[in-house]
Amino acid sequence: MAAEVSGNFEYRITHIVSQEAGHHDTRTIALTNEDAGRLERFEQCRNETHATCDHCGARLLVALPSFAEVRSERRWHGLLWKVCALATVLSGYGFLHVTRTATGAGYGPGIAFAVTVAATLFFGYRTLISGLLSRSNGGPDVTRVDCREPGSVRHSWTYVQAAEDA
């Protein structure tokens, strides 16, 4: 498992600004730092470093999870997506059963229909998210340490692909 996750992680800090442009429209601008940062992934402990955003001067803490944390998260989500997939299939079967056997009398069939649709959508969503996280490469956490993020500004990371990988 550790062989699938890279030992070095190269990234750029991303400054993201969201602005409302109209009644329901939102405009998002993402700007990246000029210089790329690099963190080495350790076996048992997180690797942390401090960085600065080139665009707003925010002081940021970048923390890369260890191999052990990535393996644990992958193992947990590897099990969870299978459980959620089974729940999706069962709630989908319940949905089919309710639509086939509903008589239309009273509130019972309507509530059962709403519950089975909601359960199918919820478990389907959780299956998708857990399936993706079971293949996660364990990217870094970026948090601002000098003050709270303004409501329209947030910081994240962007993966840098090495020239020989391209």
Side-chain angles (χ1 to χ4, degrees):
M1 181 75 61
E4 296 175 13
V5 179
S6 64
N8 289 319
F9 197 89
E10 198 166 350
Y11 65 94
R12 288 181 200 242
I13 298 295
T14 305
H15 175 90
I16 303 166
V17 180
S18 298
Q19 299 172 340
E20 286 191 28
H23 189 279
H24 289 289
D25 298 332
T26 302
R27 182 175 171 204
T28 302
I29 300 170
L31 308 166
T32 59
N33 277 7
E34 186 70 28
D35 298 327
R38 179 182 217 116
L39 286 174
E40 181 181 348
R41 191 180 308 271
F42 299 133
E43 183 61 39
Q44 293 296 328
C45 62
R46 296 173 74 90
N47 188 0
E48 297 180 346
T49 188
H50 291 276
T52 304
C53 178
D54 291 348
H55 307 285
C56 67
R59 290 183 305 144
L60 306 166
L61 177 67
V62 182
L64 186 67
S66 67
F67 281 118
E69 290 172 331
V70 173
R71 280 193 299 265
S72 173
E73 182 178 347
R74 281 182 165 192
R75 194 175 311 116
W76 168 248
H77 285 289
L79 173 66
L80 188 61
W81 83 263
K82 294 171 188 166
V83 171
C84 287
L86 178 63
T88 302
V89 169
L90 292 176
S91 59
Y93 174 75
F95 168 71
L96 292 175
H97 184 69
V98 165
T99 56
R100 200 168 22 123
T101 61
T103 60
Y107 292 113
I111 292 173
F113 178 79
V115 168
T116 56
V117 167
T120 303
L121 292 175
F122 173 76
F123 287 122
Y125 171 76
R126 289 307 311 165
T127 301
L128 176 66
I129 296 300
S130 291
L132 291 173
L133 290 176
S134 70
R135 303 297 305 156
S136 170
N137 66 349
D141 297 325
V142 179
T143 53
R144 189 166 181 170
V145 294
D146 55 0
C147 64
R148 279 185 44 144
E149 299 267 4
S152 62
V153 176
R154 58 190 173 93
H155 292 90
S156 187
W157 58 272
T158 302
Y159 180 71
V160 175
Q161 188 173 10
E164 62 267 5
D165 292 343

